Amino acid sequence: MERETTSENELVLAHVYTGTIAVVIGAFFGLMQVLSRADAVKIPSWFDYYRMLSAHGTLMVLIFTTFYVTGLATFSSYRSIPRPRSLGLAWAAWAVMLVGALMMLIEIFSGNATVLYTFYAPLKASPWFYLGTTLLIVGTWLVAIDVFRDIFWWRREHKGEIVPLPAFTAATTFVMWIVGTLGVVIEEIFFLLPWSFGAHQDINVELTRLLFWYFGHPLVYFWIMGAYMVWYNLVPVYIKGNVYSDGLTRLSFILLMLLSAPVGLHHQFTEPGIANGWKALQTITTYGVAIPSLFTAFSVFAGFELWAHKRGKKGFWQTAMALPWNNPAFAGAAYGMLLFILGGFTGLVNGSYSMDTLIHNTIWVPAHFHVTVAGPVALTFIASSYWLVPKLTGRELWKPNLALWQVRLWFVGMLIFSIALHIAGLMGEPRRTSVLDYGGSAIAAAWQPFNVAGAIGGSILFISAILFACVAIGTLVHNRKDEPMDAEFAKPSEFSGPTPPWVQSIFRWGLVSLVLAILFWAGPFIQLLNSAVHLAPGMKTW
Ligand code: HAS
Ligand code: CU
């Protein structure tokens, strides 16, 4: 069998451009969202606030992110393990994901699934929406199988050789994802789908929420591991630098794989029916899962510092100033890292039971996730396409200056938006609420200036998304077309040293992660199954 790089490239492009369409449309609903909260526009009753919020959340965090992670993982695996391969499974995976995503969107737009991106029961969507989410996930499993095939092939053909780092990061991300998605797939197949098809009237609210959050934290770490794949494997290439340490990178991904599932109860601190002991236990692991991110902060900047050292620069400021801030692919990722300093900090605040009770269900939480998923992750993904698409198509990036302004505006917009909403959250402004004046209350009125600031940030973000759309389309139709270029990945620095064998296993650690997930979740699960079960009838509040 011949190796068909052109078809491989088309496959990755299909993932990247599907994600791109999702983020641009999603940005429009984001704009409507901030303008509505700032009282600048009234959302028409035929397309109410919650339908818009469901569309925004679903397009951004379920569709855009998923397609980018699968695209980047496929790219990382295919290019670091070059081999003849058939692409049938990979294309089928993309098609299944696409059908799932379209089903979800059709149901949301037609008003049958105003259940927000977390689709909590007893809010009841049409079965086609739940089927759509299930298909989207099953599609990602097929992508995972495709990547695992590469790992097996490598181990067979390169006995005794270490799996290339980009493929290793892709495979560990997928192992984490498969363990984490088991919860939501069980929730869909055994609870939501039969209930929405009418097999039974009532649903166990607590149990389905538990299953959702078993999946919910792996979901957010799926996104950040996608961004880390770029930070470790690609960002050093943008600057002709190195990844600081091969072993430390692998250790970080293994820890992320082990600790992403046994932490999700930190989303349920305030929920009844789950004993405090379980919540305390998952608080410890929550602080544990921050450690590989701290390793990442160290490794990424250490890589920059080594690079700067070779150019005669010393210390933090000289290094920071020497970095290529005019290269849009680099600048986007670096602005993302800066935003993640804030996002990581607020995450650690949320992880504490007592502080979480202060900010839970306030607008602080969306502020937190806009400096995690919408900042570091989205900006890294968008900026990676400025490097990736030229490599895949052989076309030059269209108007790099526009791309540069795009990432700058995204950074500034997100900073304004997020700082304003963190403050409003501390003042008690609730999240996910369309009416915010509370009958003219003075407390509610005090939130308003922050919502206006949020709307300014959100409008800047929307302009940035339009610029992204222009560059994405411009690059695709730009008339200069060459052969696709070779894409190399970062090589370890001279400080890397030999990689210990115990950080080279993927599936053995994967098995441990499954055992950990079961150990940490079986207790609260059984507790909810055995306690007095209060079933609730489905609700359509819209
Ligand atoms: Fe979170 C809620 C705790 C990380 C996403 N989080 C959410 C929700 C989302 C989300 C979407 O404990 C809302 C869910 C919903 O709708 O209800 N989160 C954490 C903790 C971390 C964390 C402890 N979250 C993330 C990441 C996300 C994400 C990553 C997406 C990608 N989060 C929570 C909790 C809640 C929560 C509670 C529930 C709140 C509630 O009440 O509902 C940590 O793992 C974070 C660790 C990160 C760090 C930062 C490391 C910094 C780095 C930057 C490097 C910088 C460099 C500088 C190198 C410690 C790596 C470069 C310099 C230059 C000059 C270029
Ligand atoms: Cu979490």
Side-chain angles (χ1 to χ4, degrees):
M1 196 192 299
E2 285 285 296
R3 180 158 179 246
E4 268 278 4
T5 38
T6 318
S7 344
E8 286 179 8
N9 291 348
E10 280 163 4
L11 174 75
V12 176
L13 281 169
H15 282 268
V16 166
Y17 272 86
T18 313
T20 300
I21 295 169
V23 75
V24 174
I25 303 174
F28 171 73
F29 293 109
L31 177 71
M32 291 297 114
Q33 180 71 31
V34 284
L35 293 180
S36 156
R37 286 186 87 92
D39 244 348
V41 298
K42 186 103 197 82
I43 305 299
S45 55
W46 57 266
F47 201 94
D48 70 289
Y49 175 90
Y50 297 102
R51 196 190 303 189
M52 185 184 63
L53 183 53
S54 302
H56 175 61
T58 303
L59 277 162
M60 292 308 209
V61 302
L62 298 182
I63 300 176
F64 154 60
T65 45
T66 306
F67 276 94
Y68 259 82
V69 179
T70 47
L72 283 164
T74 303
F75 174 79
S76 304
S77 188
Y78 284 7
R79 285 294 179 103
S80 67
I81 302 187
R83 67 173 182 109
R85 52 166 71 79
S86 92
L87 297 179
L89 175 69
W91 276 111
W94 174 78
V96 171
M97 288 171 64
L98 186 68
V99 169
L102 289 175
M103 282 169 73
M104 291 157 74
L105 289 176
I106 290 169
E107 291 310 294
I108 291 175
F109 287 136
S110 51
N112 297 325
T114 304
V115 292
L116 309 180
Y117 88 95
T118 44
F119 46 89
Y120 291 146
L123 289 180
K124 189 175 185 179
S126 90
W128 308 113
F129 172 81
Y130 299 122
L131 214 54
T133 50
T134 313
L135 281 182
L136 179 63
I137 291 169
V138 169
T140 61
W141 286 357
L142 300 179
V143 181
I145 293 172
D146 193 42
V147 167
F148 295 158
R149 283 201 309 199
D150 280 351
I151 304 286
F152 294 135
W153 180 87
W154 176 273
R155 292 201 165 146
R156 210 174 42 242
E157 302 294 321
H158 295 258
K159 280 210 165 50
E161 278 180 59
I162 188 165
V163 172
L165 186 61
F168 180 93
T169 56
T172 41
T173 301
F174 274 126
V175 171
M176 184 290 295
W177 176 242
I178 287 177
V179 172
T181 43
L182 291 176
V184 75
V185 169
I186 293 172
E187 181 195 7
E188 304 265 18
I189 292 178
F190 293 100
F191 295 90
L192 299 177
L193 274 167
W195 169 64
S196 67
F197 270 119
H200 37 82
Q201 279 297 302
D202 301 325
I203 190 138
N204 187 334
V205 173
E206 274 293 287
L207 200 66
T208 50
R209 284 171 78 102
L210 188 92
L211 285 168
F212 182 85
W213 283 116
Y214 166 99
F215 152 76
H217 195 87
L219 172 67
V220 315
Y221 263 69
F222 186 54
W223 310 329
I224 202 72
M225 286 168 85
Y228 287 177
M229 273 191 240
V230 175
W231 293 1
Y232 282 109
N233 299 317
L234 300 183
V235 169
V237 176
Y238 305 162
I239 62 172
K240 299 192 172 56
N242 296 96
V243 51
Y244 176 69
S245 158
D246 183 90
L248 189 58
T249 308
R250 287 176 205 253
L251 177 62
S252 301
F253 275 82
I254 289 171
L255 287 174
L256 290 166
M257 179 165 73
L258 292 179
L259 292 173
S260 289
V263 298
L265 273 187
H266 65 222
H267 296 269
Q268 301 192 283
F269 282 151
T270 59
E271 289 190 28
I274 303 166
N276 284 342
W278 296 116
K279 294 179 183 172
L281 201 63
Q282 295 210 12
T283 302
I284 299 170
T285 39
T286 294
Y287 284 97
V289 80
I291 291 172
S293 287
L294 293 169
F295 285 173
T296 301
F298 167 78
S299 303
V300 169
F301 205 81
F304 291 167
E305 227 170 339
L306 285 179
W307 168 87
H309 234 258
K310 288 181 189 145
R311 286 158 184 76
K313 312 283 178 198
K314 284 205 186 82
F316 175 78
W317 288 111
Q318 285 190 9
T319 302
M321 303 297 281
L323 292 168
W325 294 98
N326 287 330
N327 168 349
F330 174 82
Y335 288 137
M337 294 168 195
L338 291 175
L339 288 172
F340 198 38
I341 296 176
L342 179 58
F345 167 73
T346 56
L348 294 173
V349 168
N350 303 346
S352 131
Y353 186 104
S354 48
M355 285 196 276
D356 184 68
T357 50
L358 197 70
I359 51 81
H360 184 62
N361 276 345
T362 72
I363 199 80
W364 164 287
V365 176
H368 160 69
F369 68 68
H370 279 79
V371 277
T372 49
V373 61
V377 172
L379 203 43
T380 299
F381 287 176
I382 289 173
S384 73
S385 73
Y386 295 149
W387 178 84
L388 197 60
V389 173
K391 295 279 178 207
L392 296 174
T393 58
R395 295 167 195 269
E396 279 170 3
L397 184 66
W398 189 72
K399 297 215 184 296
N401 244 340
L402 219 55
L404 190 58
W405 278 103
Q406 184 275 315
V407 296
R408 287 177 181 162
L409 288 177
W410 194 282
F411 175 65
V412 171
M414 201 58 83
L415 212 55
I416 297 174
F417 172 86
S418 169
I419 291 175
L421 299 194
H422 273 113
I423 298 172
L426 288 179
M427 294 163 70
E429 178 178 335
R431 69 185 285 203
R432 295 181 156 174
T433 0
S434 75
V435 180
L436 281 170
D437 63 358
Y438 290 83
S441 122
I443 294 176
W447 305 329
Q448 208 43 21
F450 297 96
N451 288 330
V452 172
I456 293 170
S459 305
I460 296 174
L461 282 163
F462 181 66
I463 296 169
S464 173
I466 297 295
L467 295 186
F468 178 43
C470 294
V471 179
I473 296 170
T475 305
L476 214 56
V477 298
H478 192 235
N479 45 19
R480 215 183 76 98
K481 185 161 167 57
D482 281 331
E483 281 305 294
M485 290 169 255
D486 256 355
E488 80 274 40
F489 293 100
K491 305 265 177 309
S493 78
E494 62 271 32
F495 288 92
S496 182
T499 304
W502 59 273
V503 295
Q504 296 184 24
S505 327
I506 299 171
F507 300 104
R508 242 170 285 167
W509 285 119
L511 210 59
V512 178
S513 80
L514 180 66
V515 172
L516 275 181
I518 294 171
L519 282 179
F520 276 72
W521 285 95
F525 185 79
I526 292 167
Q527 187 173 27
L528 284 179
L529 268 184
N530 291 338
S531 55
V533 175
H534 302 289
L535 299 177
M539 284 182 200
K540 205 173 161 195
T541 52
W542 62 94

